[in-house]
Amino acid sequence: MKICVTGGAGYIGSHVCKALAEAGHEVVVYDNLSTGHRSFVRWGPFRHGDIRDTARFRACLREFKPDGIIHFAASAYVGESVVDPGKYFSNNVGGTLSILEAMRDEGCPAIVVSGTCAVYGEPKEVPIAESCPPNPINPYGASKLFMERMLADFATAHDVRWMSLRYFNAAGSSPRGEIGELHEPETHLIPRVMFAALGSIDAIDIFGTDYPTPDGTCIRDYIHVDDLARAHIRALEHLVDGGESMALNLGTERGASVREIIRGVEKISGRQVPARAMERRAGDPAVLVADAAKAREVLGWKAERNLETMLEDAWNFLTARKDA
Ligand code: UDP
């Protein structure tokens, strides 16, 4: 297949490009480099542009005539979305609308987008299946849910098939350490615990120690980025083969608490991680764990890498950069 990857210079997008190229597909990356890294674009040509620039994006589709789009270009910080909702509705909703209009006009038939478990908000039941009614509690989750709504409406009106992959917590990196999680600022738990182990921050702040969980800290379903990458390829194959459009959860179906992550990092790094208990972070549900049965059934996919592998790969990426 020939695939256009928006946001292909970012963390998950670059891993998907690598997996696509390794599976023999052709890739073109379209990215505005607002948060992505030019050095992560290694598996095909690069077109610099914003997805909201519909004319530019159309020109990219006209030039490459892709069989489908995998769409990552989006803003993805819950906290930022609360203080700057306009950015989230502009990038995530406006940007996706621009892509859909370009697809409609250029006749591109299929799109896989990065969805999120944030569409569920505070879940009534865990593990969370797709049958759980969406109820986002922040603008980030709302913008991603609205994206799905636009996809469904375009699919009804035009010849476009879609899949939204609702990830739980992406983690880890390519095993050879050439690409990985590199956000600026970095707010995510696993890299920050590693920064604390390496001494580049004083300590990891544990956001809440009084949750109704066995050790009092939040539980999340961390999933290896290469497992996510495989799922995207399967999803696009499914659509290109004429499969049905839908939203699917992607997770390992196993939860790990903040304290378990800290212990895991201590084990693989052989270092102590200084930690301090802090107040809860606004908008964090106690437990988010996926029920990924539908992805197994529809895509024949399941997560293969465990938490230890995720932590080892993330550690190798960060320490390779630190030594570089
Ligand atoms: N977390 C924490 N300290 C940090 C960053 C995150 O205790 O410095 C917690 C956070 O409250 C959540 C979990 O770690 O329960 C995962 O947060 P992260 O920001 O990595 O991902 P999110 O779930 O927000 O997508």
Side-chain angles (χ1 to χ4, degrees):
M1 295 186 290
K2 230 200 262 181
I3 295 136
C4 174
V5 180
T6 70
Y11 169 44
I12 304 174
S14 60
H15 284 82
V16 167
C17 290
K18 179 171 187 245
L20 284 166
E22 284 171 358
H25 301 297
E26 264 182 72
V27 177
V28 57
V29 169
Y30 186 93
D31 198 301
N32 67 4
L33 297 183
S34 60
T35 56
H37 308 278
R38 181 65 182 85
S39 62
F40 284 9
V41 182
R42 301 173 178 216
W43 293 279
F46 175 57
R47 292 294 173 268
H48 188 223
D50 194 294
I51 50 171
R52 289 165 296 184
D53 184 344
T54 314
R56 198 174 180 83
F57 187 66
R58 270 185 74 165
C60 176
L61 295 187
R62 208 171 307 136
E63 182 185 358
F64 289 95
K65 301 194 174 28
D67 299 293
I69 293 170
I70 306 187
H71 171 35
F72 296 99
S75 301
Y77 290 115
V78 169
E80 185 187 54
S81 79
V82 176
V83 295
D84 189 3
K87 177 173 176 182
Y88 281 71
F89 290 109
S90 174
N91 272 344
N92 299 359
V93 178
T96 303
L97 174 60
S98 168
I99 289 176
L100 284 168
E101 288 176 335
M103 290 174 73
R104 175 197 63 200
D105 295 345
E106 295 302 322
C108 181
I111 182 166
V112 176
V113 307
S114 57
T116 170
C117 66
V119 298
Y120 297 110
E122 188 81 52
K124 293 215 170 51
E125 258 180 32
V126 178
I128 305 167
E130 294 82 353
S131 53
C132 173
N135 185 25
I137 54 171
N138 51 58
Y140 168 61
S143 71
K144 290 275 170 156
L145 186 61
F146 206 84
M147 274 170 61
E148 294 182 358
R149 176 62 203 253
M150 287 192 299
L151 291 163
D153 287 344
F154 267 70
T156 303
H158 309 293
D159 190 17
V160 171
R161 280 191 302 284
W162 63 276
M163 187 154 293
S164 174
L165 299 177
R166 296 175 175 170
Y167 328 142
F168 282 62
N169 287 59
S173 71
S174 144
R176 284 194 297 282
E178 60 211 326
I179 48 177
E181 190 166 12
L182 198 60
H183 297 113
E184 186 54 55
E186 187 54 79
T187 62
H188 292 110
L189 178 67
I190 291 176
R192 287 192 68 79
V193 171
M194 292 183 175
F195 292 165
L198 291 164
S200 47
I201 58 172
D202 296 346
I204 181 72
D205 291 335
I206 302 177
F207 295 145
T209 52
D210 59 350
Y211 282 99
T213 60
D215 68 16
T217 67
C218 280
I219 292 177
R220 294 288 178 271
D221 182 337
Y222 297 91
I223 174 165
H224 197 292
V225 66
D226 280 341
D227 280 327
L228 289 180
R230 272 190 309 113
H232 286 78
I233 301 177
R234 279 292 309 121
L236 197 58
E237 285 168 350
H238 164 88
L239 296 177
V240 167
D241 288 347
E244 200 189 323
S245 298
M246 67 185 82
L248 291 176
N249 289 345
L250 297 181
T252 60
E253 306 186 305
R254 295 174 70 94
S257 73
V258 174
R259 287 199 199 282
E260 283 173 287
I261 296 293
I262 294 172
R263 277 201 303 279
V265 171
E266 288 183 328
K267 188 162 162 239
I268 58 121
S269 67
R271 297 171 187 228
Q272 285 280 105
V273 174
R276 56 186 169 226
M278 304 292 281
E279 292 296 303
R280 293 181 179 196
R281 188 172 70 175
D284 269 338
V287 182
L288 293 174
V289 175
D291 175 339
K294 198 168 166 194
R296 269 199 299 284
E297 182 199 318
V298 174
L299 302 179
W301 168 94
K302 79 179 195 358
E304 286 170 356
R305 294 161 182 81
N306 62 19
L307 186 61
E308 200 174 345
T309 306
M310 282 178 238
L311 295 178
E312 272 172 11
D313 290 342
W315 178 255
N316 289 339
F317 171 72
L318 280 181
T319 51
R321 292 191 72 86
K322 216 177 151 62
D323 297 344

